[in-house]
Amino acid sequence: MDIRHLEYFAEVAQHLSFTKASQTLHVTQPSISKAIKNLEGELGVPLFYRSSKQLELTDAGKAVLINAKKVLDAFKNLTLELTDVTELKSGEIKIGIPPIVGAAFFSKLISQYKEKFPLIEIKLTEVGTKKIKKGVDDGTLDIGLICTVPAQGSSFEIINVLKDPLMLIVHREHPLASKCEVHFSQLVNEPFILYRKDFTLYDLIIEECSKSGFQPNIVCESSQKDFLLGMVEGKLGITMLPSKICQNINCKDLVVLPISESAVNLELGMIWKKDKYLSFAVREFIDGAETYLEEGL
């Protein structure tokens, strides 16, 4: 059995199309068809129903697909490990970070890592927590920095980074600016400038508003800290940011206030997929992150 035959089969099974699999693999369709016929002959069972307009896996095909994925993952891990051995400290690491908070907390760690391993390329992708989890799970990301840490028993390995409360930011002329602290219930009539919907913090803020008996009036959503602050500076609404980021706000027109009795915190964590081979680049980044956290952010 050729490993390529399993690869061709898995790709056709994913797309349920010989044509799409051919385009993805850059292999001719007749070659893929022949490989799968050979695989079916070797296994002694049909893997696809070919009579209908839509290609469909047989029950045997579904069983083969589950095991084919395991074999392909094992083969990928083997080739990655051999690459590590032969190329030593070169390679790349793909990291997902949430806009607004990711770089603020990990820029120093990334800088230290690059100084130590200049040949390793770091590819940063800025997306919300939900997309980062998906990327780590499907392998398009090696590591993710996420807001809100997954529960134990998930498909991820986890390092808890910090728990940081959100602070309210208002214009200095806002009626709440003179308060020592603010409760969520006092924001019932305020225009909210919030994170995008793919941010977990968006869901947490909506939930906290609901607990206080109202649905927020959201006038704008963004993934950019400077844009959020600029909107507040322009007196267009209120926003919320983690306290560590608020420490670096230097604008005389903005006032930062603690939110009393709030359960909304930025719970920053670092995740990677369980039971997946970790390259030298990824292992060293994780080790460096653990040391960095032990020494204090």
Side-chain angles (χ1 to χ4, degrees):
M1 186 181 296
D2 192 321
I3 192 74
R4 288 176 300 173
H5 294 178
L6 290 178
E7 184 183 4
Y8 295 171
F9 163 69
E11 199 66 34
V12 173
Q14 178 181 342
H15 298 287
L16 292 177
S17 167
F18 283 90
T19 302
K20 290 181 179 178
S22 173
Q23 293 169 347
T24 302
L25 294 168
H26 304 291
V27 177
T28 64
Q29 190 170 330
S31 296
I32 294 177
S33 298
K34 182 179 178 181
I36 289 179
K37 284 183 180 179
N38 290 340
L39 186 60
E40 289 176 322
E42 191 168 351
L43 295 173
V45 290
L47 301 177
F48 293 100
Y49 294 115
R50 295 175 172 83
S51 56
S52 62
K53 292 182 180 179
Q54 175 70 44
L55 200 64
E56 188 178 350
L57 280 167
T58 64
D59 288 342
K62 293 175 183 177
V64 172
L65 178 61
I66 292 171
N67 289 280
K69 287 181 176 179
K70 293 178 181 178
V71 172
L72 291 169
D73 285 343
F75 184 75
K76 182 180 179 181
N77 288 344
L78 171 63
T79 54
L80 286 171
E81 190 162 0
L82 288 174
T83 299
D84 275 353
V85 171
T86 56
E87 296 185 8
L88 297 177
K89 298 180 181 180
S90 63
E92 71 172 21
I93 177 171
K94 301 182 290 293
I95 304 174
I97 63 172
I100 300 177
V101 298
F105 291 109
F106 267 76
S107 57
K108 185 177 179 182
L109 169 62
I110 292 170
S111 177
Q112 290 175 351
Y113 184 85
K114 283 296 292 181
E115 287 179 11
K116 189 175 181 181
F117 304 108
L119 296 179
I120 294 176
E121 182 181 2
I122 297 179
K123 294 185 176 179
L124 297 177
T125 301
E126 280 194 316
V127 288
T129 287
K130 297 173 186 177
K131 290 184 178 179
I132 290 174
K133 287 181 182 178
K134 182 178 183 300
V136 173
D137 191 55
D138 65 24
T140 54
L141 294 173
D142 298 308
I143 290 174
L145 306 179
I146 61 168
C147 304
T148 69
V149 178
Q152 293 298 323
S154 71
S155 60
F156 305 116
E157 298 285 358
I158 306 160
I159 295 176
N160 292 302
V161 176
L162 60 79
K163 187 173 183 178
D164 194 32
L166 290 193
M167 307 287 281
L168 178 69
I169 303 167
V170 301
H171 192 276
R172 64 182 176 85
E173 296 178 3
H174 193 284
L176 293 174
S178 60
K179 302 290 185 180
C180 295
E181 61 179 19
V182 176
H183 192 275
F184 255 92
S185 60
Q186 294 176 267
L187 307 178
V188 60
N189 296 317
E190 298 296 333
F192 279 67
I193 302 162
L194 283 189
Y195 308 90
R196 291 195 319 246
K197 290 185 177 66
D198 58 327
F199 282 61
T200 306
L201 284 174
Y202 175 96
D203 295 334
L204 294 176
I205 292 170
I206 298 297
E207 183 180 349
E208 195 69 14
C209 290
S210 180
K211 288 179 182 178
S212 295
F214 71 96
Q215 289 298 311
N217 172 28
I218 302 171
V219 296
C220 184
E221 297 173 11
S222 176
S223 65
Q224 302 301 318
K225 177 196 69 175
D226 291 342
F227 182 82
L228 296 176
L229 295 176
M231 293 287 283
V232 177
E233 191 176 357
K235 302 181 183 180
L236 297 174
I238 62 170
T239 194
M240 299 175 190
L241 286 171
S243 67
K244 285 187 177 292
I245 291 179
C246 290
Q247 292 171 5
N248 297 318
I249 295 176
N250 295 311
C251 178
K252 60 181 177 59
D253 288 328
L254 298 180
V255 175
V256 178
L257 300 167
I259 306 172
S260 63
E261 301 178 24
S262 171
V264 183
N265 296 285
L266 166 66
E267 294 185 50
L268 197 64
M270 190 170 81
I271 61 171
W272 62 96
K273 193 168 183 179
K274 284 182 180 176
D275 304 321
K276 178 185 176 183
Y277 171 73
L278 300 178
S279 68
F280 172 86
V282 176
R283 290 197 309 271
E284 285 295 321
F285 190 89
I286 293 170
D287 290 344
E290 290 176 330
T291 301
Y292 180 65
L293 292 171
E294 288 172 3
E295 294 173 351
L297 285 168

